Amino acid sequence: MDQSPSRGAALLPLLRLLWLLPYSWPGSAAHSLAWREDLQNHTFRHTVFCQEGSPSMGLSESYDEDLLFSFDFAKSTRVPRLPEFADWAEDRSDAPAIAFDKEFCEAMVQQLDPVFDGKIPVSRGFPVPEVFTLKPLEFGKPNTLVCFVSNLFPPKLTVNWQHNSDPVEGAGPTYISAISGLSFQAFSYLNFTPEPYDLFTCLATHEIDGFTAIAYWVPHNALPSDLLENVLCGLAFGLGVLGIIVGAVLIVYFRRPCSGD
């Protein structure tokens, strides 16, 4: 079956050219060695995975283990992890190659699962979640909670949110990306407006064994809000005016001539 080359295949000639740059770039041998080490320290990873479970199919693209894009197979579009990557996500030139990878992966699962079922051990990790805000915390201002899940294999994961022990609806999709060492990591996002007494819970359930890891978030080290700043400024101004009045009264009082008995 004729297929257009994937993005990784298209990058191979460029990678070979980059590898030769240290040898063709004018300069000392130390300079060349530094160039080579710099190139080796960065990795672009394009990973397609499929499995029996949720999610059944996934594609992630990461740079130095930082997720850039995932792929929505229902819409055949890339989904940027951050809004800054939205323009790059519009490129669909490799859509036929991704469709071929999807079909090939699903066919491998159907053919190999019955052969190896029960014959090889299932590698698994226990997910480790942590929760933090996407922007500096300010009460009363919209923000986003991020539940980052590491030490994940296989990538069969469900993430749920709770607010003050009540289930939360409307959380964004869970983005799963591959990292080195045959492991995965996941991100789940929840838009919210923080309040001083919030308690949010991220529950990461590993579907392969039903193990649920829990991470909590409570507000701390919040930046002062505009209301608090205005109250403090008003209070300081009021104290200043009161000080001026008291000072003026004391000056007038002490400058009055003392009356004799």
Side-chain angles (χ1 to χ4, degrees), residues 129-134 143-149 158-175 186-192 199-205 212-218:
E130 58 179 305
V131 182
F132 51 89
T133 57
L134 194 61
N143 207 323
T144 302
L145 279 177
V146 181
C147 184
F148 169 64
V149 185
T158 300
V159 177
N160 294 299
W161 290 87
Q162 291 181 351
H163 178 224
N164 296 332
S165 301
D166 295 325
V168 175
E169 303 294 337
T174 300
Y175 301 102
F187 296 87
S188 179
Y189 298 88
L190 178 66
N191 295 324
F192 79 121
L199 170 60
F200 282 91
T201 308
C202 173
L203 301 97
T205 302
T212 299
I214 301 175
Y216 298 96
W217 180 88
V218 293

Side-chain angles (χ1 to χ4, degrees), residues 53-125:
S54 178
S56 60
M57 175 67 61
L59 184 155
S60 67
E61 293 174 322
S62 58
Y63 180 74
D64 285 351
E65 300 190 359
D66 290 329
L67 178 64
L68 301 178
F69 307 100
S70 58
F71 196 83
D72 187 340
F73 284 93
K75 299 179 180 179
S76 297
T77 57
R78 278 182 171 82
V79 180
R81 185 172 69 88
L82 297 176
E84 291 80 357
F85 304 148
D87 292 341
W88 296 351
E90 296 178 358
D91 181 16
R92 300 188 182 184
S93 59
D94 58 349
I98 293 176
F100 173 80
D101 291 341
K102 177 179 181 292
E103 294 176 3
F104 178 77
C105 191
E106 291 175 336
M108 292 293 290
V109 169
Q110 294 175 1
Q111 295 181 17
L112 296 181
D113 265 11
V115 176
F116 293 105
D117 185 25
K119 297 181 180 179
I120 58 176
V122 178
S123 300
R124 63 184 65 181

